[in-house]
Amino acid sequence: MHSAIHIWPEAVRIVDGRVRREARIERSGLSPFTVWYEGPEALLPHVAAQDDAFLLAGIYQGMTRGEAIHLHGTVSSGLLGNLDEFIAAWSDLKPDTYRRVDVMADEERSASPLPTGAISAFTGGVDSAFTLWRNARFPHRTTPITAALFVHGFDIPLTQPEVYARAAARVGHMTSSLGIPLFTVATNYRALEDDWRDTHGLGVTSALIQFGARHRQGRIPSTHAYAELRIPFGSNPLTDPLLSSERFLLRYDGATHRRTDKIAALAEWPEAMHHLRVCWAGPHLDRNCGACRKCVGTAICFAAMGLSLPPALPIPDLAAAIRALSGEPMNPYGMRRIADAVRIAREQGRIAPWIEAAETWIQRSTPIPTTKPDAAPLPGWMARWRARRGGTA
């Protein structure tokens, strides 16, 4: 291995009243790239001294290019050991895409003293809302969540600051009702153009780990339950914990519950019913469109559990909304969830027009593969979403 990716972290700075951390990533044959994270100056006491987040930002770059990764900074000792296994896991799961590479740092440092409390990624969606709600109901079962983090630059592009501000206000109503402070940060991490389907778990971790100075644990709300795991997938209970260090532990949270179980629990949280934000394909990313597969699929889960649709989901006629989507394909995981919701409704003796509409949707839908050829046409909802992001997924 003759070339390497070099990562050069900069010291924490205050720029125009905001705390900023950045690092220059040098890759052979490409111009240097500066990855950055910034948030309100009040977050400065929470920012970790180690450069772990920037090392994580280069992992998929190294695996994709087959180049060693050299951090010219300080890393937590435990993280280096875990990254060896993380890299081995992904290179075995997707050997045509990723390769095993060496990771090194100029300085290793063990953490002392250890902080307390947990910080959880939060978008206002079903999975992240369930993580916070369960923590509030049963705070002594796990490390208590003492902060939530909503990142600008992941599902809402940096080019839409007004949209992000409105979304942050909505999710802030949810966290404040539980007495949990909401941290807001921005990052250009996605400009690295790694495959977000593979890297979103590491991207979320790189943001969470920035706050290791006052938090012992980071929570990544589960996308899939244990009974429906999708591997390889960017966030999962096998590889997410391998991003832990001895100072900052990563936990894949909520996989003990299916989507319908989570929704049944969230129905008891009034603020969630008014501000839940699940949509990422509609015209307004700060609220739900009520027409896309994610909105309609979430509504189906409410109906399956015998619950009224919440104010956050503007769907006046669920059966009509389902029929409007009947020509759009589902991936196998989406189809399984809809089928599971229909099964629950049938077992509980429910009779409603939406059930027949959902069964017809399942019968008509040809599942889209989880990995599509580059030349394959995009479904309409994905084409619209990519167009808003400037052509990138």
Side-chain angles (χ1 to χ4, degrees):
M1 193 174 298
H2 301 292
S3 58
I5 293 175
H6 294 272
I7 304 173
W8 302 86
E10 300 288 341
V12 179
R13 295 183 294 151
I14 303 297
V15 180
D16 297 328
R18 294 176 65 81
V19 58
R20 183 180 179 96
R21 294 207 71 191
E22 61 183 43
R24 187 176 75 259
I25 300 179
E26 297 179 350
R27 299 160 292 178
S28 59
L30 296 174
S31 299
F33 178 84
T34 298
V35 60
W36 52 263
Y37 302 81
E38 69 172 35
E41 187 174 354
L43 297 183
L44 181 60
H46 297 269
V47 176
Q50 282 93 338
D51 302 310
D52 296 6
F54 298 116
L55 178 58
L56 297 182
I59 294 299
Y60 280 95
Q61 292 282 304
M63 290 195 298
T64 302
R65 295 165 61 88
E67 296 179 347
I69 306 160
H70 188 160
L71 175 73
H72 297 275
T74 303
V75 67
S76 301
S77 300
L79 179 60
L80 282 180
N82 284 336
L83 282 178
D84 287 340
E85 188 162 348
F86 179 88
I87 291 169
W90 273 97
S91 62
D92 285 351
L93 289 169
K94 300 189 71 172
D96 294 336
T97 305
Y98 303 119
R99 283 170 279 180
R100 298 194 183 200
V101 295
D102 294 327
V103 181
M104 62 200 79
D106 286 353
E107 182 181 355
E108 298 179 33
R109 183 179 301 169
S110 298
S112 181
L114 292 176
T116 60
I119 180 170
S120 181
F122 193 72
T123 63
V126 170
D127 299 321
S128 61
F130 176 76
T131 287
L132 258 63
W133 179 243
R134 184 171 65 163
N135 173 84
R137 296 290 303 276
F138 307 105
H140 303 300
R141 290 188 179 181
T142 60
T143 302
I145 295 175
T146 54
L149 177 64
F150 183 34
V151 180
H152 185 196
F154 285 172
D155 61 336
I156 299 179
L158 292 172
T159 54
Q160 299 184 21
E162 297 85 3
V163 173
Y164 175 77
R166 292 194 297 269
R170 292 180 66 89
V171 301
H173 284 298
M174 296 171 65
T175 59
S176 63
S177 71
L178 300 179
I180 296 175
L182 180 69
F183 293 173
T184 57
V185 299
T187 178
N188 68 339
Y189 177 94
R190 290 202 63 176
L192 283 166
E193 297 185 345
D194 295 323
D195 187 338
W196 190 242
R197 290 167 297 186
D198 289 350
T199 67
H200 62 269
L202 190 145
V204 171
T205 299
S206 72
L208 290 172
I209 207 169
Q210 297 276 5
F211 299 94
R214 292 192 175 180
H215 299 91
R216 177 76 173 102
Q217 186 183 94
R219 301 278 182 85
I220 300 183
S222 62
T223 304
H224 303 106
Y226 287 125
E228 57 181 24
L229 284 180
R230 177 179 174 180
I231 296 175
F233 189 68
S235 176
N236 65 76
L238 296 182
T239 60
D240 283 0
L242 296 177
L243 299 173
S244 301
S245 70
E246 76 282 4
R247 179 184 184 90
F248 193 81
L249 306 177
L250 265 295
R251 175 175 175 176
Y252 185 83
D253 186 270
T256 51
H257 292 65
R258 294 176 181 267
R259 185 61 54 91
T260 47
D261 298 324
K262 292 180 178 181
I263 283 173
L266 291 176
E268 302 176 8
W269 185 7
E271 287 78 10
M273 296 301 92
H274 283 85
H275 300 293
L276 196 69
R277 188 184 74 95
V278 302
C279 184
W280 55 267
H284 307 289
L285 296 179
D286 61 316
R287 57 188 183 274
N288 301 317
C289 71
C292 71
R293 290 190 304 113
K294 192 69 178 289
C295 287
V296 174
T298 302
I300 287 174
C301 291
F302 273 94
M305 302 304 288
L307 300 167
S308 299
L309 298 192
L313 284 173
I315 303 176
D317 186 333
L318 180 55
I322 295 171
R323 286 192 289 268
L325 289 172
S326 61
E328 293 201 5
M330 290 184 278
N331 65 44
Y333 300 94
M335 181 177 289
R336 183 189 304 170
R337 281 181 171 172
I338 299 300
D340 189 54
V342 170
R343 176 188 58 78
I344 291 173
R346 289 295 192 191
E347 288 178 351
Q348 296 182 1
R350 308 195 193 287
I351 301 174
W354 74 263
I355 299 176
E356 293 183 1
E359 289 175 333
T360 300
W361 186 18
I362 294 170
Q363 292 168 1
R364 290 180 177 176
S365 181
T366 300
I368 56 176
T370 54
T371 302
K372 300 179 289 299
D374 292 341
L378 293 173
W381 58 269
M382 186 178 288
R384 293 191 295 272
W385 179 64
R386 286 194 174 185
R388 285 199 305 277
R389 296 197 66 92
T392 60

